[in-house]
Amino acid sequence: KAGVTQTPRYLIKTRGQQVTLSCSPISGHRSVSWYQQTPGQGLQFLFEYFSETQRNKGNFPGRFSGRQFSNSRSEMNVSTLELGDSALYLCASSRQERSSYNSPLHFGNGTRLTVT
Amino acid sequence: GESVGLHLPTLSVQEGDNSIINCAYSNSASDYFIWYKQESGKGPQFIIDIRSNMDKRQGQRVTVLLNKTVKHLSLQIAATQPGDSAVYFCAEQGGKLIFGQGTELSVKP
């Protein structure tokens, strides 16, 4: 069974640009969550989608947005990039709407975004 | 705010010894807890989970203990191996899944 797939693996952008990251969940998983990971802040929750609807949102500015498609694949977009957006962006999927017993989050290997 | 934190940022153990990684949480309403392992260049990998109605759960070489009275969670790794070297995160589910800062486990051969 294929795991969570994130593309691209690495990305370099300049300030002011926008970026779109893609995530394909494990087959059969309908929930997709996005996390930002930095050395200083650790894993910070961005948002969660289930059945194409955003169910939960973290404390990030509106420059961070996402969506989920009918096949459960998800994308996140960051507009007007800032240097502080440099991070590892992780996507995770689970069968149920929220991580729970027997339905934990499974993570991809992330997209490393560098903003210069 | 509510958070999940780790007592020790780094832990160094000898190969073959047992490792214990600790975690404190503050949300008494959390009903589900998970441990993840993250190796360099990879995403977090699920290790073991436990529901709040349990106080102990065992997997292969790993055991998670939950003490709800003091809001404490621990991960025990038996016979630690070099391949166990990684950052370990605890996480609590009490609405949103909240992660601790992580503990880096280093295994000396």
Side-chain angles (χ1 to χ4, degrees):
Chain A
K1 196 175 192 181
V4 177
T5 304
Q6 291 188 246
T7 57
R9 190 81 171 86
Y10 300 95
L11 206 49
I12 299 175
K13 291 285 188 178
T14 56
R15 277 180 298 175
Q17 288 186 311
Q18 72 163 15
V19 66
T20 299
L21 311 181
S22 181
C23 172
S24 293
I26 292 172
S27 178
H29 286 195
R30 295 168 62 194
S31 172
V32 173
S33 300
W34 289 90
Y35 287 81
Q36 181 195 66
Q37 187 175 35
T38 58
Q41 297 297 318
L43 278 156
Q44 300 284 309
F45 173 74
L46 281 157
F47 24 66
E48 178 189 4
Y49 287 88
F50 183 83
S51 296
E52 302 177 67
T53 303
Q54 188 178 90
R55 300 293 192 172
N56 225 330
K57 192 176 190 306
N59 297 323
F60 279 82
R63 299 186 296 108
F64 292 81
S65 62
R67 58 177 176 168
Q68 186 180 33
F69 302 95
S70 58
N71 60 359
S72 294
R73 193 176 69 83
S74 178
E75 289 180 347
M76 69 163 280
N77 184 277
V78 188
S79 62
T80 320
L81 283 166
E82 300 176 0
L83 295 178
D85 296 333
S86 294
L88 180 68
Y89 289 88
L90 291 160
C91 168
S93 73
S94 64
R95 282 197 305 271
Q96 299 176 10
E97 184 169 346
R98 71 173 204 174
S99 185
S100 62
Y101 196 68
N102 289 329
S103 181
L105 285 184
H106 293 270
F107 285 85
N109 287 327
T111 294
R112 172 74 63 185
L113 172 65
T114 301
V115 182
T116 62
Chain B
E2 293 166 347
S3 65
V4 177
L6 291 163
H7 293 308
L8 298 173
T10 59
L11 177 65
S12 184
V13 300
Q14 204 70 38
E15 181 179 358
D17 287 352
N18 296 334
S19 301
I20 300 176
I21 301 171
N22 296 303
C23 178
Y25 65 94
S26 57
N27 184 1
S28 55
S30 293
D31 57 4
Y32 175 57
F33 304 87
I34 316 118
W35 281 99
Y36 285 92
K37 171 188 179 183
Q38 187 173 22
E39 297 173 278
S40 180
K42 296 185 178 180
Q45 176 189 1
F46 171 83
I47 302 174
I48 192 168
D49 57 0
I50 188 168
R51 281 191 287 203
S52 60
N53 62 353
M54 304 166 71
D55 53 23
K56 181 179 179 180
R57 189 162 187 235
Q58 288 183 291
Q60 187 176 14
R61 284 201 306 118
V62 294
T63 300
V64 55
L65 298 176
L66 175 63
N67 186 330
K68 293 181 287 296
T69 302
V70 295
K71 289 187 272 190
H72 184 268
L73 192 68
S74 68
L75 177 70
Q76 300 178 1
I77 304 174
T80 313
Q81 302 168 0
D84 294 328
S85 294
V87 176
Y88 289 81
F89 295 94
C90 63
E92 61 164 332
Q93 177 74 57
K96 288 183 288 190
L97 192 64
I98 300 172
F99 285 82
Q101 289 298 306
T103 290
E104 182 171 7
L105 176 65
S106 175
V107 183
K108 295 177 289 186

